[in-house]
Amino acid sequence: MTPACTPRPGFAFATRFRVRYAEIDGQKVVFNSRYLEYADVAATEFWEWTGIAEALGPVWTETEFHVRRSEVDYLKPFVWGDSVVASVRIDRIGGSSLTQRYELAHADTGDLHAVITMVIVNVHLPTGRPVPIADPVRAFLEVL
């Protein structure tokens, strides 16, 4: 379980974790690629927080969102030992995709270190093809 934390303004969800030694480079800052791993950790926690799997069952589990595009705006590096607060929200619900926003901030200072925008596409698992977001899923997500 992650420590309790306060989401950034405009967000209902956040999770907190520490930068580990294995995540830093020779300059003692977090590798650029790790920021997308941080978004992945936050996404997993976000979906669990929503309770969508329990609420919708097979309607939710027959498809899965796959990353289509990610954009990372690196504002300030994290260093070993920093505590990171990753806030997550859905900015847009499209026909078959979602746009999510992740803000990675320093837990102690509140400074914003990175902003990640990610477009994820709803994929039918047996075929691997994009499909429209089911109405019950859309209705659930619209109230988050």
Side-chain angles (χ1 to χ4, degrees):
M1 174 173 251
T2 57
C5 59
T6 303
R8 292 181 55 80
F11 292 79
F13 171 81
T15 188
R16 181 178 176 151
F17 47 87
R18 291 185 73 78
V19 173
R20 299 172 300 171
Y21 181 77
E23 297 166 346
I24 62 171
D25 62 17
Q27 290 79 37
K28 298 185 172 66
V29 299
V30 172
F31 284 106
N32 292 342
S33 63
R34 297 291 183 159
Y35 289 78
L36 289 175
E37 290 180 34
Y38 292 167
D40 188 58
V41 168
T44 299
E45 298 284 336
F46 172 78
W47 290 118
E48 287 179 15
W49 169 80
T50 68
I52 195 168
E54 294 82 11
L56 299 182
V59 173
W60 174 249
T61 58
E62 290 173 356
T63 62
E64 183 175 277
F65 285 101
H66 292 186
V67 175
R68 172 71 171 104
R69 183 174 54 83
S70 295
E71 179 180 301
V72 183
D73 190 2
Y74 300 98
L75 304 171
K76 183 177 183 180
F78 285 109
V79 299
W80 178 35
D82 281 348
S83 288
V84 179
V85 172
S87 297
V88 184
R89 73 175 181 225
I90 296 172
D91 274 352
R92 179 183 171 278
I93 302 173
S96 64
S97 67
L98 301 176
T99 301
Q100 292 181 303
R101 181 179 176 94
Y102 300 81
E103 291 190 1
L104 306 180
H106 195 285
D108 298 325
T109 66
D111 291 347
L112 185 60
H113 284 237
V115 175
I116 300 169
T117 304
M118 190 175 296
V119 176
I120 55 177
V121 176
N122 193 41
V123 173
H124 181 247
L125 292 174
T127 65
R129 304 287 306 160
V131 293
I133 297 170
D135 290 338
V137 172
R138 178 180 303 283
F140 188 95
L141 297 176
E142 286 175 344
V143 299
L144 291 179

